[in-house]
Amino acid sequence: MSKLTLSWVEAGITKSYQIGLTMVRIGRDPARCDLVLAHPTVSGLHVVIYFDPQKQSFWIRSMRESNPPVVDGRSLLQGEIELNTNSAIALGQQILQITKIDIDAPIATQANPNHVYGLQCPNLKCAKISPYERITLVCPWCGTSLAGAASSILPSQSIL
């Protein structure tokens, strides 16, 4: 399985986290993030890191215009930036280092362009999937917070 490994120092302790084929939300708010960082300069929901099966690479997207991440010295105000081994990501004053990226052979979702990746709305009456291109803090259909949303890889015909 393709994966990316992040390392950082928090309270004098070196920590690491592996990201696979699921999207990982990173920030200070445990209710909205999969990877929670304690530094006070990190935003509640700061960035999203995800694997793009079509491009066979990992990407980072800013979720905070007023406190954008800095990737390899470049401020990410909008859009995405492809991540590479040894890339440095500054979230406020917290520095994350990409120590390893392993890309496996193309996965099923690349071979099948009818699959997409996104977040499934936690509202059972809605349960629609927001593709990563349109991810916001709330479901675009019903307005439910996506903080508790499940990451999904589903056929595109499931997206309404």
Side-chain angles (χ1 to χ4, degrees):
M1 175 166 75
S2 298
K3 60 187 170 198
L4 174 147
T5 304
L6 291 172
S7 294
W8 69 98
V9 176
E10 193 171 74
I13 299 169
T14 300
K15 298 184 175 188
S16 66
Y17 188 89
Q18 281 192 345
I19 299 171
L21 299 179
T22 59
M23 177 179 61
V24 173
R25 296 166 286 191
I26 303 172
R28 203 177 64 246
D29 184 353
R32 296 188 292 165
C33 298
D34 306 298
L35 173 55
V36 178
L37 302 172
H39 200 282
T41 60
V42 175
S43 296
L45 175 58
H46 210 122
V47 296
V48 170
I49 295 178
Y50 63 92
F51 182 75
D52 184 324
Q54 271 67 42
K55 296 177 183 173
Q56 287 291 294
S57 56
F58 285 91
W59 295 76
I60 185 169
R61 172 181 285 227
S62 176
M63 300 301 286
R64 186 68 185 190
E65 289 181 17
S66 63
N67 187 14
V70 177
V71 180
D72 295 329
R74 296 186 339 221
S75 186
L76 177 58
L77 298 173
Q78 60 183 355
E80 302 90 22
I81 292 178
E82 184 175 3
L83 296 171
N84 300 296
T85 301
N86 297 321
S87 284
I89 304 166
L91 304 180
Q93 295 175 10
Q94 179 69 66
I95 307 296
L96 306 174
Q97 184 80 35
I98 297 175
T99 55
K100 188 174 184 182
I101 295 178
D102 291 317
I103 305 293
D104 289 341
I107 59 172
T109 55
Q110 181 184 20
N112 184 348
N114 294 325
H115 285 75
V116 293
Y117 174 78
L119 289 178
Q120 183 172 16
C121 178
N123 178 345
L124 297 177
K125 290 181 181 177
C126 176
K128 293 180 182 171
I129 307 295
S130 297
Y132 70 83
E133 294 91 356
R134 297 191 324 177
I135 290 176
T136 60
L137 298 178
V138 297
C139 174
W141 294 277
C142 71
T144 299
S145 170
L146 292 177
S151 298
S152 300
I153 298 177
L154 294 174
S156 60
Q157 54 267 32
S158 297
I159 299 176
L160 300 174

